[in-house]
Amino acid sequence: MLRMAVLLTRLMLQTTKIDNNFIGRCFQRHTVKPDPAQLSLTAPTPKLLYLISAKDFSTAGNLQGEKKQKRRDAFSNMGRKISERIIRVLDEKGMDLGMMHRADVIRLMDKQNLRLVQRNTSSEPPEYQLMTGVQIHQERLKLREQEKAEPQTGPTVTKELNFSSNIGQHDLDTKSKQIQQWIEKKYHVKVTIKRRKDAEEPEHEMEKIFNQILQSMPGIATFSSRPKAVRGGTASMCVFRHLSKKEEKAYKESQESQRRDTLSKDDRNSNESDVLCQ
C-alpha cells in the first residue's frame, strides 16, 4: 500500500513537469519579437532632423558675415602654407610670372622678402600674388573704405523733431546738435516748427530758422524736402539729409576755390600796398 502511494506521487510530479515544459514552448513560439532593424532606424531620426534644422538656421544667419569675412581675407598673408602644388603667381607689380611650383614660390619669397596673398582661388590653377607688407596694408585700407562707401540695404531711418518758433537761441543750438548727430548716422530728420499763437508771424521768419539749422552743419547736410507750410498754415516742415558723395566733393571743391580766390586777393592787395609805399 505504501509503495503504491509513492508510485502515484512520482507519476503526478512527472506529469506536472511535462505540462510546464509544453506550456513554456508554446508561449515562446507565439511571442512576437521586435525587428532589430526597425529599432535601429527609429531612434536616430529625431536627432538627424534636429541637426539639419540647426545647420539651415546657422547658414542663413551667418551668410552676410561670411561674405564680409571673405572680402577681408582677400589680402591676408598666406605665409608658407600653400596647399596647392602648382599655382599661378603675379609679382608685386602685377606682372604674370606664370605657373610655379610652391617650393619655388617659397624660395622667391625668402629671396625678395615678399608675402604671398590670394587673388583668385576659383581659377585653375589658383592665382596668388607676391606683395610687400606695405602693399598688403594699403589694399586692406582700400577694402575698408569700399565697405564704408557701400549703400545701406535697409530702409532709411527718419527721425522727427517738433518745437515752437519762439524757441530760445540756446535751445535751438541744442536741437541743431541733436539733428547733426542724426545726420552723421545717415538718418533723415523731419523738423516741424509750430507758429506762435499770440502773433502774426510771416512765413519767411520760419524759413530763417530752418536755414540757421542748416548753416550749423556745413558740408554735412542739405534739404531733402525744402520748408513748406503744413497743418493749414499753422506750422512749417522740412526734411534734412546727409550730403551724397557727389555733393560732398562739390562742396570741398567750392571751398578750395574760395580759399584760392581769397589768397589771390590778399596777394594783390599786398602788392598794391608795396607799390604805394615805394
Side-chain angles (χ1 to χ4, degrees), residues 159-161 163 172-192 209-210 213-214 216-217 220-221 238-241:
K159 298 288 187 177
E160 294 191 21
L161 204 59
F163 53 87
L172 182 60
D173 292 341
T174 303
K175 300 286 186 186
S176 299
K177 289 178 182 178
Q178 177 63 72
I179 293 171
Q180 181 170 340
Q181 289 176 1
W182 285 334
I183 293 292
E184 288 174 346
K185 294 179 180 179
K186 305 299 175 68
Y187 296 159
H188 284 196
V189 183
K190 179 181 177 182
V191 179
T192 303
I209 300 176
F210 288 121
I213 296 172
L214 183 62
S216 69
M217 301 179 288
I220 299 175
C238 81
V239 179
F240 296 100
R241 65 168 175 83

PDB file of all heavy atoms in Angstrom, residues 159-161 163 172-192 209-210 213-214 216-217 220-221 238-241:
ATOM      1  N   LYS A 159      14.052 110.445 -38.348  1.00  0.00           N
ATOM      2  CA  LYS A 159      13.809 110.959 -37.004  1.00  0.00           C
ATOM      3  C   LYS A 159      12.949 112.224 -37.119  1.00  0.00           C
ATOM      4  O   LYS A 159      13.031 112.958 -38.108  1.00  0.00           O
ATOM      5  CB  LYS A 159      15.124 111.287 -36.303  1.00  0.00           C
ATOM      6  CG  LYS A 159      16.037 110.087 -36.088  1.00  0.00           C
ATOM      7  CD  LYS A 159      15.492 109.168 -35.025  1.00  0.00           C
ATOM      8  CE  LYS A 159      16.474 108.055 -34.692  1.00  0.00           C
ATOM      9  NZ  LYS A 159      15.976 107.186 -33.606  1.00  0.00           N
ATOM     10  N   GLU A 160      12.153 112.495 -36.088  1.00  0.00           N
ATOM     11  CA  GLU A 160      11.266 113.665 -36.098  1.00  0.00           C
ATOM     12  C   GLU A 160      11.548 114.549 -34.907  1.00  0.00           C
ATOM     13  O   GLU A 160      11.844 114.060 -33.809  1.00  0.00           O
ATOM     14  CB  GLU A 160       9.795 113.230 -36.103  1.00  0.00           C
ATOM     15  CG  GLU A 160       9.375 112.512 -37.368  1.00  0.00           C
ATOM     16  CD  GLU A 160       7.864 112.337 -37.466  1.00  0.00           C
ATOM     17  OE1 GLU A 160       7.144 113.100 -36.780  1.00  0.00           O
ATOM     18  OE2 GLU A 160       7.414 111.455 -38.215  1.00  0.00           O
ATOM     19  N   LEU A 161      11.440 115.862 -35.141  1.00  0.00           N
ATOM     20  CA  LEU A 161      11.685 116.850 -34.089  1.00  0.00           C
ATOM     21  C   LEU A 161      10.666 117.970 -34.257  1.00  0.00           C
ATOM     22  O   LEU A 161      10.519 118.522 -35.358  1.00  0.00           O
ATOM     23  CB  LEU A 161      13.116 117.381 -34.207  1.00  0.00           C
ATOM     24  CG  LEU A 161      13.769 117.950 -32.949  1.00  0.00           C
ATOM     25  CD1 LEU A 161      13.837 116.907 -31.846  1.00  0.00           C
ATOM     26  CD2 LEU A 161      15.175 118.437 -33.264  1.00  0.00           C
ATOM     27  N   PHE A 163       9.151 121.686 -32.466  1.00  0.00           N
ATOM     28  CA  PHE A 163       9.308 122.755 -31.479  1.00  0.00           C
ATOM     29  C   PHE A 163       8.618 124.017 -31.989  1.00  0.00           C
ATOM     30  O   PHE A 163       8.208 124.108 -33.155  1.00  0.00           O
ATOM     31  CB  PHE A 163      10.776 123.019 -31.143  1.00  0.00           C
ATOM     32  CG  PHE A 163      11.662 123.282 -32.330  1.00  0.00           C
ATOM     33  CD1 PHE A 163      11.806 124.560 -32.841  1.00  0.00           C
ATOM     34  CD2 PHE A 163      12.368 122.245 -32.928  1.00  0.00           C
ATOM     35  CE1 PHE A 163      12.627 124.805 -33.927  1.00  0.00           C
ATOM     36  CE2 PHE A 163      13.184 122.475 -34.015  1.00  0.00           C
ATOM     37  CZ  PHE A 163      13.326 123.757 -34.516  1.00  0.00           C
ATOM     38  N   LEU A 172      17.744 126.255 -29.403  1.00  0.00           N
ATOM     39  CA  LEU A 172      17.890 125.995 -30.833  1.00  0.00           C
ATOM     40  C   LEU A 172      19.255 125.379 -31.134  1.00  0.00           C
ATOM     41  O   LEU A 172      19.367 124.461 -31.966  1.00  0.00           O
ATOM     42  CB  LEU A 172      17.706 127.284 -31.630  1.00  0.00           C
ATOM     43  CG  LEU A 172      17.785 127.143 -33.151  1.00  0.00           C
ATOM     44  CD1 LEU A 172      16.711 126.196 -33.663  1.00  0.00           C
ATOM     45  CD2 LEU A 172      17.652 128.515 -33.833  1.00  0.00           C
ATOM     46  N   ASP A 173      20.289 125.859 -30.457  1.00  0.00           N
ATOM     47  CA  ASP A 173      21.625 125.270 -30.644  1.00  0.00           C
ATOM     48  C   ASP A 173      21.643 123.808 -30.202  1.00  0.00           C
ATOM     49  O   ASP A 173      22.271 122.951 -30.855  1.00  0.00           O
ATOM     50  CB  ASP A 173      22.662 126.069 -29.843  1.00  0.00           C
ATOM     51  CG  ASP A 173      22.871 127.471 -30.387  1.00  0.00           C
ATOM     52  OD1 ASP A 173      22.513 127.702 -31.556  1.00  0.00           O
ATOM     53  OD2 ASP A 173      23.366 128.337 -29.646  1.00  0.00           O
ATOM     54  N   THR A 174      20.956 123.507 -29.098  1.00  0.00           N
ATOM     55  CA  THR A 174      20.883 122.122 -28.610  1.00  0.00           C
ATOM     56  C   THR A 174      20.166 121.230 -29.617  1.00  0.00           C
ATOM     57  O   THR A 174      20.605 120.107 -29.912  1.00  0.00           O
ATOM     58  CB  THR A 174      20.153 122.078 -27.259  1.00  0.00           C
ATOM     59  OG1 THR A 174      20.833 122.924 -26.327  1.00  0.00           O
ATOM     60  CG2 THR A 174      20.117 120.655 -26.717  1.00  0.00           C
ATOM     61  N   LYS A 175      19.050 121.753 -30.166  1.00  0.00           N
ATOM     62  CA  LYS A 175      18.308 120.991 -31.185  1.00  0.00           C
ATOM     63  C   LYS A 175      19.172 120.771 -32.430  1.00  0.00           C
ATOM     64  O   LYS A 175      19.156 119.684 -33.027  1.00  0.00           O
ATOM     65  CB  LYS A 175      17.034 121.740 -31.573  1.00  0.00           C
ATOM     66  CG  LYS A 175      16.051 121.988 -30.445  1.00  0.00           C
ATOM     67  CD  LYS A 175      15.312 120.748 -30.052  1.00  0.00           C
ATOM     68  CE  LYS A 175      14.226 121.062 -29.030  1.00  0.00           C
ATOM     69  NZ  LYS A 175      13.561 119.839 -28.519  1.00  0.00           N
ATOM     70  N   SER A 176      19.924 121.786 -32.819  1.00  0.00           N
ATOM     71  CA  SER A 176      20.769 121.679 -34.010  1.00  0.00           C
ATOM     72  C   SER A 176      21.849 120.613 -33.827  1.00  0.00           C
ATOM     73  O   SER A 176      22.161 119.853 -34.765  1.00  0.00           O
ATOM     74  CB  SER A 176      21.424 123.028 -34.314  1.00  0.00           C
ATOM     75  OG  SER A 176      20.441 124.020 -34.580  1.00  0.00           O
ATOM     76  N   LYS A 177      22.413 120.518 -32.626  1.00  0.00           N
ATOM     77  CA  LYS A 177      23.420 119.493 -32.354  1.00  0.00           C
ATOM     78  C   LYS A 177      22.822 118.090 -32.432  1.00  0.00           C
ATOM     79  O   LYS A 177      23.439 117.167 -32.949  1.00  0.00           O
ATOM     80  CB  LYS A 177      24.055 119.726 -30.977  1.00  0.00           C
ATOM     81  CG  LYS A 177      24.966 120.943 -30.913  1.00  0.00           C
ATOM     82  CD  LYS A 177      25.512 121.145 -29.514  1.00  0.00           C
ATOM     83  CE  LYS A 177      26.392 122.392 -29.452  1.00  0.00           C
ATOM     84  NZ  LYS A 177      26.901 122.637 -28.069  1.00  0.00           N
ATOM     85  N   GLN A 178      21.584 117.949 -31.921  1.00  0.00           N
ATOM     86  CA  GLN A 178      20.920 116.650 -31.990  1.00  0.00           C
ATOM     87  C   GLN A 178      20.644 116.252 -33.439  1.00  0.00           C
ATOM     88  O   GLN A 178      20.841 115.093 -33.841  1.00  0.00           O
ATOM     89  CB  GLN A 178      19.595 116.718 -31.216  1.00  0.00           C
ATOM     90  CG  GLN A 178      18.776 115.438 -31.270  1.00  0.00           C
ATOM     91  CD  GLN A 178      19.481 114.269 -30.621  1.00  0.00           C
ATOM     92  OE1 GLN A 178      19.594 114.209 -29.402  1.00  0.00           O
ATOM     93  NE2 GLN A 178      19.952 113.320 -31.413  1.00  0.00           N
ATOM     94  N   ILE A 179      20.224 117.226 -34.236  1.00  0.00           N
ATOM     95  CA  ILE A 179      19.967 116.965 -35.661  1.00  0.00           C
ATOM     96  C   ILE A 179      21.258 116.542 -36.354  1.00  0.00           C
ATOM     97  O   ILE A 179      21.272 115.601 -37.153  1.00  0.00           O
ATOM     98  CB  ILE A 179      19.364 118.214 -36.335  1.00  0.00           C
ATOM     99  CG1 ILE A 179      17.959 118.483 -35.774  1.00  0.00           C
ATOM    100  CG2 ILE A 179      19.302 118.047 -37.850  1.00  0.00           C
ATOM    101  CD1 ILE A 179      17.370 119.808 -36.207  1.00  0.00           C
ATOM    102  N   GLN A 180      22.363 117.221 -36.052  1.00  0.00           N
ATOM    103  CA  GLN A 180      23.637 116.886 -36.682  1.00  0.00           C
ATOM    104  C   GLN A 180      24.080 115.471 -36.317  1.00  0.00           C
ATOM    105  O   GLN A 180      24.593 114.729 -37.178  1.00  0.00           O
ATOM    106  CB  GLN A 180      24.718 117.880 -36.261  1.00  0.00           C
ATOM    107  CG  GLN A 180      26.074 117.604 -36.915  1.00  0.00           C
ATOM    108  CD  GLN A 180      27.074 118.723 -36.677  1.00  0.00           C
ATOM    109  OE1 GLN A 180      26.690 119.837 -36.367  1.00  0.00           O
ATOM    110  NE2 GLN A 180      28.345 118.427 -36.825  1.00  0.00           N
ATOM    111  N   GLN A 181      23.870 115.052 -35.069  1.00  0.00           N
ATOM    112  CA  GLN A 181      24.230 113.684 -34.666  1.00  0.00           C
ATOM    113  C   GLN A 181      23.445 112.655 -35.470  1.00  0.00           C
ATOM    114  O   GLN A 181      23.984 111.625 -35.900  1.00  0.00           O
ATOM    115  CB  GLN A 181      23.966 113.501 -33.170  1.00  0.00           C
ATOM    116  CG  GLN A 181      24.938 114.269 -32.279  1.00  0.00           C
ATOM    117  CD  GLN A 181      24.587 114.154 -30.807  1.00  0.00           C
ATOM    118  OE1 GLN A 181      23.624 113.483 -30.434  1.00  0.00           O
ATOM    119  NE2 GLN A 181      25.352 114.822 -29.954  1.00  0.00           N
ATOM    120  N   TRP A 182      22.158 112.919 -35.708  1.00  0.00           N
ATOM    121  CA  TRP A 182      21.342 112.003 -36.514  1.00  0.00           C
ATOM    122  C   TRP A 182      21.792 112.001 -37.976  1.00  0.00           C
ATOM    123  O   TRP A 182      21.857 110.954 -38.611  1.00  0.00           O
ATOM    124  CB  TRP A 182      19.867 112.391 -36.417  1.00  0.00           C
ATOM    125  CG  TRP A 182      19.230 112.015 -35.101  1.00  0.00           C
ATOM    126  CD1 TRP A 182      19.614 111.017 -34.274  1.00  0.00           C
ATOM    127  CD2 TRP A 182      18.101 112.639 -34.487  1.00  0.00           C
ATOM    128  NE1 TRP A 182      18.789 110.967 -33.159  1.00  0.00           N
ATOM    129  CE2 TRP A 182      17.847 111.950 -33.268  1.00  0.00           C
ATOM    130  CE3 TRP A 182      17.276 113.705 -34.823  1.00  0.00           C
ATOM    131  CZ2 TRP A 182      16.797 112.288 -32.412  1.00  0.00           C
ATOM    132  CZ3 TRP A 182      16.226 114.037 -33.977  1.00  0.00           C
ATOM    133  CH2 TRP A 182      15.995 113.342 -32.784  1.00  0.00           C
ATOM    134  N   ILE A 183      22.090 113.201 -38.483  1.00  0.00           N
ATOM    135  CA  ILE A 183      22.514 113.307 -39.885  1.00  0.00           C
ATOM    136  C   ILE A 183      23.821 112.542 -40.108  1.00  0.00           C
ATOM    137  O   ILE A 183      23.991 111.867 -41.131  1.00  0.00           O
ATOM    138  CB  ILE A 183      22.686 114.789 -40.287  1.00  0.00           C
ATOM    139  CG1 ILE A 183      21.324 115.502 -40.301  1.00  0.00           C
ATOM    140  CG2 ILE A 183      23.368 114.912 -41.646  1.00  0.00           C
ATOM    141  CD1 ILE A 183      20.380 115.039 -41.382  1.00  0.00           C
ATOM    142  N   GLU A 184      24.751 112.631 -39.157  1.00  0.00           N
ATOM    143  CA  GLU A 184      26.030 111.926 -39.288  1.00  0.00           C
ATOM    144  C   GLU A 184      25.849 110.411 -39.290  1.00  0.00           C
ATOM    145  O   GLU A 184      26.719 109.687 -39.777  1.00  0.00           O
ATOM    146  CB  GLU A 184      26.972 112.356 -38.158  1.00  0.00           C
ATOM    147  CG  GLU A 184      27.487 113.780 -38.332  1.00  0.00           C
ATOM    148  CD  GLU A 184      28.293 114.256 -37.145  1.00  0.00           C
ATOM    149  OE1 GLU A 184      28.239 113.588 -36.078  1.00  0.00           O
ATOM    150  OE2 GLU A 184      28.967 115.298 -37.258  1.00  0.00           O
ATOM    151  N   LYS A 185      24.736 109.922 -38.748  1.00  0.00           N
ATOM    152  CA  LYS A 185      24.410 108.493 -38.804  1.00  0.00           C
ATOM    153  C   LYS A 185      23.620 108.143 -40.063  1.00  0.00           C
ATOM    154  O   LYS A 185      23.095 107.040 -40.178  1.00  0.00           O
ATOM    155  CB  LYS A 185      23.606 108.095 -37.569  1.00  0.00           C
ATOM    156  CG  LYS A 185      24.396 108.198 -36.269  1.00  0.00           C
ATOM    157  CD  LYS A 185      23.533 107.812 -35.076  1.00  0.00           C
ATOM    158  CE  LYS A 185      24.324 107.922 -33.782  1.00  0.00           C
ATOM    159  NZ  LYS A 185      23.484 107.575 -32.598  1.00  0.00           N
ATOM    160  N   LYS A 186      23.536 109.096 -40.993  1.00  0.00           N
ATOM    161  CA  LYS A 186      22.837 108.923 -42.280  1.00  0.00           C
ATOM    162  C   LYS A 186      21.323 108.790 -42.119  1.00  0.00           C
ATOM    163  O   LYS A 186      20.649 108.208 -42.969  1.00  0.00           O
ATOM    164  CB  LYS A 186      23.389 107.714 -43.051  1.00  0.00           C
ATOM    165  CG  LYS A 186      24.901 107.756 -43.277  1.00  0.00           C
ATOM    166  CD  LYS A 186      25.318 108.965 -44.089  1.00  0.00           C
ATOM    167  CE  LYS A 186      26.829 109.074 -44.218  1.00  0.00           C
ATOM    168  NZ  LYS A 186      27.425 108.019 -45.024  1.00  0.00           N
ATOM    169  N   TYR A 187      20.775 109.347 -41.012  1.00  0.00           N
ATOM    170  CA  TYR A 187      19.328 109.374 -40.853  1.00  0.00           C
ATOM    171  C   TYR A 187      18.755 110.582 -41.590  1.00  0.00           C
ATOM    172  O   TYR A 187      19.450 111.573 -41.810  1.00  0.00           O
ATOM    173  CB  TYR A 187      18.933 109.493 -39.373  1.00  0.00           C
ATOM    174  CG  TYR A 187      19.344 108.328 -38.502  1.00  0.00           C
ATOM    175  CD1 TYR A 187      19.453 108.472 -37.124  1.00  0.00           C
ATOM    176  CD2 TYR A 187      19.619 107.079 -39.044  1.00  0.00           C
ATOM    177  CE1 TYR A 187      19.818 107.413 -36.305  1.00  0.00           C
ATOM    178  CE2 TYR A 187      19.994 106.014 -38.241  1.00  0.00           C
ATOM    179  CZ  TYR A 187      20.101 106.193 -36.877  1.00  0.00           C
ATOM    180  OH  TYR A 187      20.474 105.138 -36.081  1.00  0.00           O
ATOM    181  N   HIS A 188      17.485 110.510 -41.950  1.00  0.00           N
ATOM    182  CA  HIS A 188      16.739 111.687 -42.379  1.00  0.00           C
ATOM    183  C   HIS A 188      16.088 112.296 -41.136  1.00  0.00           C
ATOM    184  O   HIS A 188      15.650 111.566 -40.247  1.00  0.00           O
ATOM    185  CB  HIS A 188      15.675 111.318 -43.400  1.00  0.00           C
ATOM    186  CG  HIS A 188      16.228 111.053 -44.769  1.00  0.00           C
ATOM    187  ND1 HIS A 188      15.457 111.021 -45.902  1.00  0.00           N
ATOM    188  CD2 HIS A 188      17.491 110.816 -45.188  1.00  0.00           C
ATOM    189  CE1 HIS A 188      16.213 110.770 -46.962  1.00  0.00           C
ATOM    190  NE2 HIS A 188      17.454 110.637 -46.540  1.00  0.00           N
ATOM    191  N   VAL A 189      16.026 113.624 -41.096  1.00  0.00           N
ATOM    192  CA  VAL A 189      15.452 114.296 -39.926  1.00  0.00           C
ATOM    193  C   VAL A 189      14.331 115.215 -40.387  1.00  0.00           C
ATOM    194  O   VAL A 189      14.559 116.163 -41.147  1.00  0.00           O
ATOM    195  CB  VAL A 189      16.515 115.105 -39.151  1.00  0.00           C
ATOM    196  CG1 VAL A 189      15.898 115.715 -37.903  1.00  0.00           C
ATOM    197  CG2 VAL A 189      17.701 114.224 -38.778  1.00  0.00           C
ATOM    198  N   LYS A 190      13.123 114.926 -39.926  1.00  0.00           N
ATOM    199  CA  LYS A 190      11.950 115.736 -40.247  1.00  0.00           C
ATOM    200  C   LYS A 190      11.725 116.721 -39.113  1.00  0.00           C
ATOM    201  O   LYS A 190      11.499 116.334 -37.968  1.00  0.00           O
ATOM    202  CB  LYS A 190      10.726 114.830 -40.419  1.00  0.00           C
ATOM    203  CG  LYS A 190       9.440 115.566 -40.733  1.00  0.00           C
ATOM    204  CD  LYS A 190       8.288 114.569 -40.851  1.00  0.00           C
ATOM    205  CE  LYS A 190       6.967 115.272 -41.090  1.00  0.00           C
ATOM    206  NZ  LYS A 190       5.846 114.299 -41.161  1.00  0.00           N
ATOM    207  N   VAL A 191      11.791 118.020 -39.427  1.00  0.00           N
ATOM    208  CA  VAL A 191      11.659 119.081 -38.421  1.00  0.00           C
ATOM    209  C   VAL A 191      10.375 119.856 -38.693  1.00  0.00           C
ATOM    210  O   VAL A 191      10.152 120.323 -39.814  1.00  0.00           O
ATOM    211  CB  VAL A 191      12.871 120.019 -38.439  1.00  0.00           C
ATOM    212  CG1 VAL A 191      12.694 121.122 -37.405  1.00  0.00           C
ATOM    213  CG2 VAL A 191      14.158 119.244 -38.177  1.00  0.00           C
ATOM    214  N   THR A 192       9.547 119.994 -37.673  1.00  0.00           N
ATOM    215  CA  THR A 192       8.298 120.762 -37.768  1.00  0.00           C
ATOM    216  C   THR A 192       8.351 121.896 -36.758  1.00  0.00           C
ATOM    217  O   THR A 192       8.578 121.660 -35.563  1.00  0.00           O
ATOM    218  CB  THR A 192       7.076 119.872 -37.500  1.00  0.00           C
ATOM    219  OG1 THR A 192       7.077 118.780 -38.426  1.00  0.00           O
ATOM    220  CG2 THR A 192       5.789 120.660 -37.658  1.00  0.00           C
ATOM    221  N   ILE A 209      14.725 130.117 -39.529  1.00  0.00           N
ATOM    222  CA  ILE A 209      15.138 129.151 -38.507  1.00  0.00           C
ATOM    223  C   ILE A 209      15.662 127.880 -39.175  1.00  0.00           C
ATOM    224  O   ILE A 209      16.692 127.321 -38.774  1.00  0.00           O
ATOM    225  CB  ILE A 209      13.964 128.833 -37.561  1.00  0.00           C
ATOM    226  CG1 ILE A 209      13.493 130.098 -36.856  1.00  0.00           C
ATOM    227  CG2 ILE A 209      14.384 127.779 -36.538  1.00  0.00           C
ATOM    228  CD1 ILE A 209      12.271 129.897 -35.964  1.00  0.00           C
ATOM    229  N   PHE A 210      14.961 127.430 -40.227  1.00  0.00           N
ATOM    230  CA  PHE A 210      15.433 126.239 -40.940  1.00  0.00           C
ATOM    231  C   PHE A 210      16.820 126.470 -41.536  1.00  0.00           C
ATOM    232  O   PHE A 210      17.703 125.608 -41.460  1.00  0.00           O
ATOM    233  CB  PHE A 210      14.447 125.864 -42.055  1.00  0.00           C
ATOM    234  CG  PHE A 210      13.153 125.282 -41.563  1.00  0.00           C
ATOM    235  CD1 PHE A 210      11.946 125.885 -41.865  1.00  0.00           C
ATOM    236  CD2 PHE A 210      13.135 124.128 -40.803  1.00  0.00           C
ATOM    237  CE1 PHE A 210      10.749 125.346 -41.420  1.00  0.00           C
ATOM    238  CE2 PHE A 210      11.947 123.571 -40.359  1.00  0.00           C
ATOM    239  CZ  PHE A 210      10.739 124.195 -40.665  1.00  0.00           C
ATOM    240  N   ILE A 213      19.546 126.348 -38.932  1.00  0.00           N
ATOM    241  CA  ILE A 213      19.895 124.966 -38.581  1.00  0.00           C
ATOM    242  C   ILE A 213      20.810 124.368 -39.633  1.00  0.00           C
ATOM    243  O   ILE A 213      21.810 123.716 -39.324  1.00  0.00           O
ATOM    244  CB  ILE A 213      18.619 124.115 -38.421  1.00  0.00           C
ATOM    245  CG1 ILE A 213      17.780 124.616 -37.248  1.00  0.00           C
ATOM    246  CG2 ILE A 213      18.973 122.645 -38.235  1.00  0.00           C
ATOM    247  CD1 ILE A 213      16.411 123.947 -37.135  1.00  0.00           C
ATOM    248  N   LEU A 214      20.475 124.606 -40.907  1.00  0.00           N
ATOM    249  CA  LEU A 214      21.285 124.050 -41.992  1.00  0.00           C
ATOM    250  C   LEU A 214      22.693 124.632 -41.995  1.00  0.00           C
ATOM    251  O   LEU A 214      23.678 123.915 -42.222  1.00  0.00           O
ATOM    252  CB  LEU A 214      20.599 124.318 -43.334  1.00  0.00           C
ATOM    253  CG  LEU A 214      21.286 123.739 -44.573  1.00  0.00           C
ATOM    254  CD1 LEU A 214      21.344 122.214 -44.495  1.00  0.00           C
ATOM    255  CD2 LEU A 214      20.565 124.172 -45.837  1.00  0.00           C
ATOM    256  N   SER A 216      24.403 125.484 -39.552  1.00  0.00           N
ATOM    257  CA  SER A 216      25.200 124.947 -38.448  1.00  0.00           C
ATOM    258  C   SER A 216      25.837 123.602 -38.811  1.00  0.00           C
ATOM    259  O   SER A 216      26.610 123.054 -38.024  1.00  0.00           O
ATOM    260  CB  SER A 216      24.318 124.776 -37.199  1.00  0.00           C
ATOM    261  OG  SER A 216      23.369 123.746 -37.387  1.00  0.00           O
ATOM    262  N   MET A 217      25.519 123.077 -40.025  1.00  0.00           N
ATOM    263  CA  MET A 217      26.069 121.785 -40.461  1.00  0.00           C
ATOM    264  C   MET A 217      26.702 121.923 -41.846  1.00  0.00           C
ATOM    265  O   MET A 217      26.307 121.218 -42.788  1.00  0.00           O
ATOM    266  CB  MET A 217      24.950 120.727 -40.494  1.00  0.00           C
ATOM    267  CG  MET A 217      24.271 120.503 -39.167  1.00  0.00           C
ATOM    268  SD  MET A 217      22.931 119.274 -39.260  1.00  0.00           S
ATOM    269  CE  MET A 217      21.689 120.202 -40.179  1.00  0.00           C
ATOM    270  N   ILE A 220      27.856 118.891 -44.399  1.00  0.00           N
ATOM    271  CA  ILE A 220      27.316 117.650 -43.831  1.00  0.00           C
ATOM    272  C   ILE A 220      25.904 117.377 -44.324  1.00  0.00           C
ATOM    273  O   ILE A 220      25.594 116.263 -44.743  1.00  0.00           O
ATOM    274  CB  ILE A 220      27.320 117.707 -42.287  1.00  0.00           C
ATOM    275  CG1 ILE A 220      28.747 117.868 -41.755  1.00  0.00           C
ATOM    276  CG2 ILE A 220      26.662 116.460 -41.689  1.00  0.00           C
ATOM    277  CD1 ILE A 220      28.829 118.054 -40.259  1.00  0.00           C
ATOM    278  N   ALA A 221      25.038 118.422 -44.269  1.00  0.00           N
ATOM    279  CA  ALA A 221      23.617 118.204 -44.542  1.00  0.00           C
ATOM    280  C   ALA A 221      23.088 119.141 -45.618  1.00  0.00           C
ATOM    281  O   ALA A 221      23.712 120.149 -45.963  1.00  0.00           O
ATOM    282  CB  ALA A 221      22.800 118.385 -43.256  1.00  0.00           C
ATOM    283  N   CYS A 238      10.234 120.700 -42.848  1.00  0.00           N
ATOM    284  CA  CYS A 238      11.239 120.361 -43.842  1.00  0.00           C
ATOM    285  C   CYS A 238      11.919 119.066 -43.409  1.00  0.00           C
ATOM    286  O   CYS A 238      11.754 118.614 -42.274  1.00  0.00           O
ATOM    287  CB  CYS A 238      12.264 121.484 -44.022  1.00  0.00           C
ATOM    288  SG  CYS A 238      13.545 121.500 -42.756  1.00  0.00           S
ATOM    289  N   VAL A 239      12.691 118.469 -44.334  1.00  0.00           N
ATOM    290  CA  VAL A 239      13.425 117.240 -44.041  1.00  0.00           C
ATOM    291  C   VAL A 239      14.892 117.451 -44.403  1.00  0.00           C
ATOM    292  O   VAL A 239      15.199 117.878 -45.525  1.00  0.00           O
ATOM    293  CB  VAL A 239      12.860 116.035 -44.818  1.00  0.00           C
ATOM    294  CG1 VAL A 239      13.671 114.780 -44.509  1.00  0.00           C
ATOM    295  CG2 VAL A 239      11.391 115.810 -44.493  1.00  0.00           C
ATOM    296  N   PHE A 240      15.791 117.182 -43.451  1.00  0.00           N
ATOM    297  CA  PHE A 240      17.231 117.264 -43.689  1.00  0.00           C
ATOM    298  C   PHE A 240      17.769 115.864 -43.984  1.00  0.00           C
ATOM    299  O   PHE A 240      17.263 114.871 -43.472  1.00  0.00           O
ATOM    300  CB  PHE A 240      17.960 117.829 -42.465  1.00  0.00           C
ATOM    301  CG  PHE A 240      17.602 119.245 -42.125  1.00  0.00           C
ATOM    302  CD1 PHE A 240      16.700 119.524 -41.107  1.00  0.00           C
ATOM    303  CD2 PHE A 240      18.169 120.296 -42.824  1.00  0.00           C
ATOM    304  CE1 PHE A 240      16.376 120.828 -40.784  1.00  0.00           C
ATOM    305  CE2 PHE A 240      17.854 121.609 -42.510  1.00  0.00           C
ATOM    306  CZ  PHE A 240      16.947 121.877 -41.484  1.00  0.00           C
ATOM    307  N   ARG A 241      18.822 115.804 -44.783  1.00  0.00           N
ATOM    308  CA  ARG A 241      19.509 114.545 -45.069  1.00  0.00           C
ATOM    309  C   ARG A 241      21.001 114.807 -45.195  1.00  0.00           C
ATOM    310  O   ARG A 241      21.442 115.957 -45.324  1.00  0.00           O
ATOM    311  CB  ARG A 241      18.986 113.913 -46.364  1.00  0.00           C
ATOM    312  CG  ARG A 241      19.269 114.737 -47.606  1.00  0.00           C
ATOM    313  CD  ARG A 241      19.001 113.951 -48.873  1.00  0.00           C
ATOM    314  NE  ARG A 241      19.146 114.766 -50.079  1.00  0.00           N
ATOM    315  CZ  ARG A 241      20.296 115.026 -50.676  1.00  0.00           C
ATOM    316  NH1 ARG A 241      21.429 114.565 -50.151  1.00  0.00           N
ATOM    317  NH2 ARG A 241      20.346 115.773 -51.766  1.00  0.00           N
TER     318      ARG A 241
END
